[in-house]
Amino acid sequence: MTASARSAHARAATRFPVVTHLADRMVSVNIFDSATRLAAQSFLTAVPLLFVVGAYAPPPVRHQLITSVRTVFGVTGAADAQLVQALSPTTGSLRQATGVVGGLMVLLSATAVSRALQRLCKRAWEIPRAGTRIAPWRWLAWLVLWLAALLVQGPMRDGFGVGAWLGIPITLVGLTGLWWWTQHLLLGGLVGWKPLLPGAVITAVAVTALSVTARLYLPRALNQALSEYGSLGPVFILLSWLIVVCVAVAISISAGAVVAQEPAPARRLGSPPPVRGRAAHR
């Protein structure tokens, strides 16, 4: 059975090389495990950060964040009221409860998302752990830029007042640049800019498509879960949606690496050879 499986794999690699290489990369990346870890870290980071922003951010920033979250997820009704309440405390009690030290600890622990995404990118590009230390400041820089990107999502999705017909292309271009920079930053420049472009484009298309569908599903699901199960109901909905998004991100980054390392694109992009190519040259 093992010999038969190897023979079938060899035939598939000859007939459908890209598909076979992508399947092999998915296995090596451990897509669902990596995506689940990334989703869990994102959720555990997002909730404390909401409280920190609500406690310390000036009112214009809080208002812009509410507008962006409302625009991205299409939040309405009871879920929207909960969002406004979380980010608009009426007294200083939230700031006192959070504290400066607590806020700094939340920001530092939030870099766990950066580290999880960094591991995903390194696995997708088959970069070994040994001898590839990357400066920790990159984790914090990634977090700060993504928080800034979240603040401008509302105006971008609305096309800066023109409409969704312009907002969606602008969002697609913006997310392409963001994921392009994300890979380069978290990989510490171990892979050049050009090879990272296919993964950035694929990821941006996948995330943009999911964000459009989220506006059709999430508002009703969040309000229904809130009415039936209370404040804990939306937790399951948001975590499930995050897992779907992170699976799409993991697949897209891995697919981009595979495409960039195929012979024809690799010659144009200057991509590093895959592990199987490195082994063949030894």
Side-chain angles (χ1 to χ4, degrees):
M1 291 179 61
T2 302
S4 178
R6 289 177 177 174
S7 177
H9 183 275
R11 290 195 300 270
T14 302
R15 296 180 181 179
F16 313 104
V18 176
V19 176
T20 306
H21 299 163
L22 180 59
D24 292 342
R25 192 69 54 90
M26 297 298 172
V27 173
S28 63
V29 170
N30 201 350
I31 289 295
F32 292 103
D33 179 67
S34 299
T36 303
R37 289 172 183 247
L38 182 59
Q41 293 289 356
S42 300
F43 185 81
L44 292 174
T45 296
V47 175
L49 276 179
L50 284 177
F51 288 108
V52 171
V53 171
Y56 293 101
V61 175
R62 293 201 303 264
H63 177 72
Q64 184 59 49
L65 182 58
I66 292 172
T67 302
S68 293
V69 174
R70 187 182 292 149
T71 303
V72 172
F73 298 110
V75 180
T76 58
D80 183 56
Q82 291 285 330
L83 174 65
V84 173
Q85 182 180 359
L87 290 176
S88 303
T90 56
T91 65
S93 58
L94 180 58
R95 181 176 299 182
Q96 295 174 2
T98 305
V100 176
V101 176
L104 291 175
M105 292 303 296
V106 168
L107 290 176
L108 291 177
S109 63
T111 58
V113 183
S114 311
R115 296 195 299 270
L117 187 56
Q118 183 185 68
R119 287 192 294 270
L120 171 62
C121 292
K122 290 174 70 174
R123 287 181 179 179
W125 282 94
E126 300 178 309
I127 297 175
R129 294 183 180 180
T132 56
R133 293 183 179 180
I134 297 176
W137 66 264
R138 296 175 181 269
W139 305 333
L140 188 58
W142 178 87
L143 181 64
V144 170
L145 185 68
W146 271 85
L147 285 174
L150 178 60
L151 290 175
V152 300
Q153 285 300 301
M156 284 180 58
R157 297 295 174 93
D158 192 38
F160 297 99
V162 177
W165 66 270
L166 179 63
I168 292 178
I170 291 177
T171 301
L172 184 60
V173 173
L175 286 176
T176 299
L178 200 57
W179 282 106
W180 198 9
W181 177 83
T182 290
Q183 294 179 87
H184 191 268
L185 178 77
L186 295 181
L187 289 175
L190 296 175
V191 180
W193 282 101
K194 289 183 179 180
L196 298 174
L197 183 58
V201 173
I202 297 172
T203 307
V205 171
V207 173
T208 302
L210 285 174
S211 66
V212 172
T213 58
R215 293 178 57 86
L216 305 176
Y217 163 73
L218 280 180
R220 183 176 60 181
L222 287 174
N223 288 326
Q224 184 176 356
L226 193 60
S227 63
E228 293 183 2
Y229 303 105
S231 57
L232 292 178
V235 171
F236 174 76
I237 302 297
L238 289 174
L239 188 55
S240 301
W241 183 80
L242 273 175
I243 291 175
V244 173
V245 171
C246 291
V247 167
V249 168
I251 293 176
S252 300
I253 292 177
S254 301
V258 170
V259 170
Q261 289 179 323
E262 288 302 303
R267 288 192 294 270
R268 293 178 176 270
L269 301 175
S271 306
V275 170
R276 64 180 186 279
R278 297 172 198 163
H281 289 293
R282 290 177 182 175

